[in-house]
Amino acid sequence: MLLKYYHLPITLLLFGRSLVDALGSSTVTNKPLNWLIVGGGPHGVHIATRLLDEVRVSNLQIVDDGPQLLHKWKSRTAATGMSYLRSSASFHLDVREDGLKRFSEQRGVRSGSRKSKKSNLDPNLFASDYQRPKLDFFNEHCDHVIAKNNLDDCHVQGIVTDIIPKEDYVEVDIRRPNGEIVTSCAENIVLALG
């Protein structure tokens, strides 16, 4: 089997085990994770969501140094002072293409807000040009996606310090906030670094 690298914007996916065959073998005492995602920003959260929903992954881990997922995204976007995202409503973290719009419809029913005649979207949540969502509403939807998929349970706070290929898995050393180094093993790893 060939080791395949799939380059996506800001994301690197590593599949397969051939490289580790060439590097030597080792044994592991615990069962590796199916997937380990390095990065708890928008890309990492979206990839985790897709893996859980479409691939039905049974065990995955998201390593990020923030105290919660999307911590850097939220603090950095808040610091810009922007009210609306630059991207349209079709760019979001949920699996369904219309996930953000459907969330706004559900939210509209809860809040009793009115939709514009021109579109199905609440004008208080989306800019009229390109249906760009308000930042706070987008973040609310992100929190909904994280909660719906129990991604907080998959989050490990720390910084990856080493990635070591083995015969049937990859070892990942993680420095926790207290300085302790822990090792996770995974069959597949995603580098979702922003």
Side-chain angles (χ1 to χ4, degrees):
M1 178 187 340
L2 296 174
L3 181 66
K4 300 174 194 167
Y5 292 90
Y6 295 92
H7 294 278
L8 302 172
I10 309 181
T11 306
L12 171 67
L13 303 175
L14 298 152
F15 297 93
R17 300 184 182 101
S18 315
L19 177 64
V20 288
D21 293 339
L23 295 175
S25 65
S26 170
T27 57
V28 71
T29 54
N30 54 354
K31 185 179 179 209
L33 299 160
N34 295 126
W35 289 87
L36 187 138
I37 300 168
V38 181
H43 288 100
V45 170
H46 179 70
I47 290 167
T49 301
R50 291 196 85 89
L51 285 169
L52 290 169
D53 186 75
E54 295 176 358
V55 182
R56 303 285 185 209
V57 169
S58 60
N59 60 350
L60 69 81
Q61 193 173 78
I62 304 168
V63 179
D64 189 82
D65 62 343
Q68 66 268 343
L69 297 173
L70 299 176
H71 176 75
K72 288 180 185 174
W73 160 263
K74 289 178 178 179
S75 62
R76 290 174 180 166
T77 54
T80 67
M82 70 176 159
S83 299
Y84 292 88
L85 296 184
R86 295 183 305 167
S87 303
S88 72
S90 61
F91 294 95
H92 55 80
L93 305 186
D94 211 345
V95 174
R96 290 182 55 118
E97 185 176 338
D98 63 346
L100 185 61
K101 292 177 183 179
R102 289 172 55 94
F103 184 71
S104 77
E105 291 167 2
Q106 294 167 353
R107 186 179 189 264
V109 170
R110 288 192 311 261
S111 69
S113 61
R114 300 194 175 239
K115 298 173 184 170
S116 73
K117 292 179 183 176
K118 203 165 118 178
S119 102
N120 260 354
L121 302 175
D122 183 337
N124 298 315
L125 303 178
F126 296 90
S128 59
D129 63 332
Y130 307 109
Q131 300 177 339
R132 296 177 301 119
K134 285 189 83 165
L135 175 61
D136 58 349
F137 172 66
F138 180 82
N139 286 337
E140 182 183 332
H141 179 252
C142 293
D143 293 340
H144 167 76
V145 170
I146 289 168
K148 176 176 76 170
N149 293 290
N150 299 313
L151 295 180
D152 282 331
D153 296 340
C154 302
H155 176 225
V156 172
Q157 187 177 6
I159 297 172
V160 171
T161 58
D162 205 359
I163 299 174
I164 307 156
K166 299 292 182 179
E167 185 174 337
D168 292 330
Y169 60 94
V170 177
E171 254 181 30
V172 179
D173 290 341
I174 304 162
R175 184 171 13 107
R176 301 297 307 268
N178 64 3
E180 173 190 16
I181 301 289
V182 296
T183 301
S184 287
C185 300
E187 295 168 357
N188 303 286
I189 185 168
V190 178
L191 302 179
L193 310 172

